[in-house]
Every structure is written in structure tokens, then in C-alpha cells.
């Protein structure tokens, strides 16, 4: 059974630091991996989507990498700002032989960037 | 504007009183899904739908029903809500195109007393 783990569960850093969030998955047979941001009591906002054939994706100060063979993805945030404070979630998309698919989420990393 | 909408956003109800949470998307997506989010447990999939009239159970389907009669709508039905269904619920949709990116609704906070 696919499990998705995010470490650390919580992280507090001073403004301006570069930081890395980790996402691990147990089954490498994924279709894609998506990183989300969630503000308290709010919905999920998609940050980056990496297809299984890709190694990384970049958007602004964010860079996500994917290593399927080791079951790992990282989200790199450059020059962190207080506005980056949120919970970051990763999700893998699994495909089944019947043509169906489903998503498994990690439990998230709660990030706080101190001014 | 491309979006997923849910209603209501907040709901307080009593045990056993049937309720429906609506979900609608305007992106012509084939795939729609319901999740619940609980502290320490993360997001767990309740039901999903590959297309109209095609639905399947996720990881925590007990106590929930869904239907997909139209492509844009995917309501979540709680026939007899119980306190353990108190949670934050999210609807999501994605295309069957190459990107398969999921888009989420704003969430529905349900309290069952």
C-alpha cells in the first residue's frame, strides 16, 4: 500500500533562508506528484506538478525535484518570506490497470517564516 | 474563472439528519473526488468519479454516498451523520489530459453534534 511521508512535520525559519521540504513515497509506480500549499482553514492551492518522466519543475522561488527510484521529492523554497508561512502538502497520483487512478496525500509540513 | 465551488462552506447539524454538500466545477473535468481532512491524519479520499455515472470508493467511504449524474456536479451525501464525521471536507477535480493537475474547492467545515 502506498504511503506518503513528509518530514519534518513542522519547521520554523528566519526570513531570507533557503529551505527544503521533503516528501517520501513507498511505491515508485506513480503517475505524477503534486505540491500544494494550504493556509489555515483554507483550501489547497497547487504549486507545482511533476510528471513521473520529469526530474524537476520550477515556478518563481519554488523548485520541486522528483527521484522516482528512491521514492523522494523535495520542494526547495528560495529566500523565504513571512508570506510563505503555510502548510505544504505533497500528493502522488497512482494509476491502476483498470484505467482508474487515485491520489494519496502526505500529512504535510507546517512552515513558519519569522520576520 | 476556472474554479471548483462547494456549498455550504460551514454547516452545523445534529446526528442523524441527512445532509448534502454540493460540489461543482466549470473546467469540464472528467475526474472528481471528495476528501476529508482531520488533524494528524491528513487528507483522505472518500469517493472519486472517473466520469458521469462512474464512481468508486476511496479509502474512507463508510457513511457517505455520492452520485455523478452530470459532469460538472459531484454531491456528497451523508444519510445519517454521526459526530465522527465532523471534519473539513474538500472537493477536487482534474482533467484526463496530460497534466492531470488537481484543483480544489474552498472546503466545507462540518460539525455534527
Amino acid at each position: 500500500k502506498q504511503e506518503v511521508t513528509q518530514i519534518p512535520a513542522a519547521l520554523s525559519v528566519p526570513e531570507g533562508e533557503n529551505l527544503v521540504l521533503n516528501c517520501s513515497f513507498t511505491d515508485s509506480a506513480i503517475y505524477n506528484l503534486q505540491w500544494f500549499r494550504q493556509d489555515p482553514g483554507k483550501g489547497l492551492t497547487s504549486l507545482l506538478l511533476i510528471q513521473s518522466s520529469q526530474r524537476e519543475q520550477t515556478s518563481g522561488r519554488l523548485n520541486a525535484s522528483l527521484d522516482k527510484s528512491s521514492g523522494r521529492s523535495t520542494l526547495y523554497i528560495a529566500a523565504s518570506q513571512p508570506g510563505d508561512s503555510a502548510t505544504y502538502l505533497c500528493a502522488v497520483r497512482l494509476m491502476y490497470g483498470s484505467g482508474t487512478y487515485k491520489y494519496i496525500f502526505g500529512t504535510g509540513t507546517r512552515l513558519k517564516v519569522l520576520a | 474563472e476556472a474554479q471548483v465551488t462547494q456549498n455550504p462552506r460551514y454547516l452545523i447539524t445534529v446526528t442523524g439528519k441527512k445532509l448534502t454538500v454540493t460540489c461543482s466545477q466549470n473546467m469540464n473535468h472528467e475526474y472528481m473526488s471528495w476528501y476529508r481532512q482531520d488533524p494528524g491524519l491528513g487528507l483522505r479520499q472518500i469517493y472519486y468519479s472517473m466520469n458521469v455515472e462512474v464512481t468508486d470508493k476511496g479509502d474512507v467511504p463508510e457513511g457517505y454516498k455520492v452520485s455523478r449524474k452530470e459532469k460538472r456536479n459531484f454531491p456528497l451525501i451523508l444519510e445519517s451523520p454521526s459526530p465522527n464525521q465532523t471534519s473539513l471536507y474538500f472537493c477536487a477535480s482534474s482533467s484526463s489530459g496530460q497534466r492531470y493537475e488537481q484543483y480544489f474547492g474552498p472546503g466545507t467545515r462540518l460539525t455534527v453534534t
Side-chain angles (χ1 to χ4, degrees), chain A residues 7-111:
Chain A
I7 295 174
L11 183 63
S12 185
V13 300
E15 182 177 8
E17 277 208 2
N18 302 324
L19 55 100
V20 174
L21 307 181
N22 297 295
C23 173
S24 301
F25 46 95
T26 53
D27 187 344
S28 63
I30 64 170
Y31 193 86
N32 65 33
L33 186 145
Q34 195 169 356
W35 282 93
F36 295 89
R37 167 188 174 134
Q38 184 178 26
D39 293 288
K42 306 287 187 182
L44 279 70
T45 301
S46 179
L47 298 173
L48 289 164
L49 172 74
I50 310 177
Q51 303 292 349
S52 62
S53 57
Q54 297 176 318
R55 298 283 292 181
E56 66 178 310
Q57 283 285 319
T58 298
S59 176
R61 294 183 294 108
L62 305 179
N63 175 276
S65 68
L66 175 64
D67 184 342
K68 272 184 59 177
S69 61
S70 67
R72 294 185 59 190
S73 176
T74 61
L75 179 67
Y76 175 82
I77 302 176
S80 58
Q81 304 170 357
D84 294 329
S85 299
T87 296
Y88 291 80
L89 297 157
C90 67
V92 298
R93 174 176 161 140
L94 308 176
M95 293 285 286
Y96 296 101
S98 58
T100 62
Y101 50 91
K102 60 188 297 188
Y103 296 87
I104 306 294
F105 279 80
T107 51
T109 293
R110 191 169 64 254
L111 172 66

Side-chain angles (χ1 to χ4, degrees), chain B residues 2-4 7 29 31-32 40 49 51 54 59 61 67 72 74 90:
Chain B
Q3 60 181 351
V4 179
N7 282 292
H29 284 167
Y31 185 95
M32 297 186 74
S49 170
N51 214 322
V54 181
D59 295 319
S67 68
R72 64 183 291 128
F74 190 45
F90 289 103

Side-chain angles (χ1 to χ4, degrees), chain B residues 4 6-7 14 28-29 41 43 47 49 61 65 71 74 79 82 97 107-108 113:
Chain B
V4 179
Q6 294 178 229
N7 282 292
V14 296
N28 201 35
H29 284 167
L41 296 176
L43 274 150
Y47 269 96
S49 170
K65 283 178 57 177
K71 198 173 187 179
F74 190 45
E79 294 272 4
S82 62
T108 295
T113 61

